[in-house]
Amino acid sequence: SGTSMAAPHVAGAAILVRQAHPNWTNAQIKSALMSTSKYLDVYNYNDTPAQPLDMGAGRLDLTNVLNPGVLLDPPSVSFGAVPTGTVQTIAVRLTGVATQTETYNASTLFTGNGFTATTALPGVTVTPAVFSLAFGQTRVISVTVDPAASQGIGENQGYIVLDGTAHDAHLPVWARVVPAAQAKDVLIIDNDASALDP
């Protein structure tokens, strides 16, 4: 378990993808490995549902890695700290690699309450929600987080799911909602014993 075992498995998987797709960049190979990983029905040691902060995009699964349908840039969406009262958006560039044109439905997914009680991820939206992508075509989708509609202060995490005609993909999304910085009152005292005005 751990990185000592994960590193050779991922390296070996990446070599297989490189052999099948010698023209793909390292980032594209990473995208294929991440977007086709197993992210449902994966549990932590204490039997809680594993989330992006537990496992990233999921557990490596080579079933569809050579034919992922779409390549993602970036393959995960990390907002970092998002203050209340703000709205932030990250653009994700998609490149179609399926042999036929795919129509994708984009949605959000929260599995923190269990894999049989999934919901949309509050406060996170994807636009457009429906789009088509031909082989070699690129397009941009926007992932937006609004703390006012989110799960509140703290970690907000889940997935963007791309449900295609023949291919499916996913990418983890995470934001840490934090209180907005409060303005500070500053008291200035003129106490230099000078008779002159400052």
Side-chain angles (χ1 to χ4, degrees):
S1 65
T3 55
S4 297
M5 203 67 242
H9 277 83
V10 174
I15 290 171
L16 293 175
V17 180
R18 170 72 71 200
Q19 185 178 28
H21 298 287
N23 295 326
W24 283 8
T25 66
N26 292 340
Q28 289 172 326
I29 291 173
K30 178 181 179 181
S31 169
L33 291 169
M34 292 176 65
S35 70
T36 60
S37 62
K38 179 179 174 63
Y39 66 106
L40 298 176
D41 298 318
V42 179
Y43 294 87
N44 294 313
Y45 69 93
N46 60 356
D47 291 329
T48 58
Q51 299 297 292
L53 290 179
D54 302 313
M55 63 175 181
R59 189 172 65 208
L60 200 64
D61 181 354
L62 304 187
T63 305
N64 300 308
V65 71
L66 298 183
N67 185 22
V70 62
L71 299 174
L72 313 171
D73 179 23
S76 64
V77 179
S78 297
F79 286 95
V82 181
T84 55
T86 67
V87 175
Q88 295 187 18
T89 298
I90 292 179
V92 179
R93 180 174 297 276
L94 312 179
T95 301
V97 292
T99 55
Q100 73 279 6
T101 298
E102 287 272 0
T103 297
Y104 288 97
N105 290 285
S107 61
T108 66
L109 181 67
F110 174 67
T111 60
N113 294 326
F115 297 108
T116 58
T118 60
T119 64
L121 179 60
V124 176
T125 55
V126 187
T127 52
V130 180
F131 57 90
S132 294
L133 198 61
F135 177 80
Q137 182 183 4
T138 62
R139 73 173 302 131
V140 173
I141 62 172
S142 297
V143 181
T144 301
V145 61
D146 180 0
S150 73
Q151 294 173 315
I153 301 297
E155 312 299 347
N156 287 252
Q157 56 183 319
Y159 303 93
I160 304 299
V161 178
L162 304 177
D163 183 12
T165 310
H167 297 84
D168 297 324
H170 70 278
L171 57 161
V173 58
W174 163 76
R176 176 178 291 131
V177 175
V178 297
Q182 299 296 316
K184 302 297 182 184
D185 293 327
V186 179
L187 177 63
I188 300 176
I189 299 175
D190 181 10
N191 194 26
D192 63 356
S194 170
L196 300 175
D197 291 332

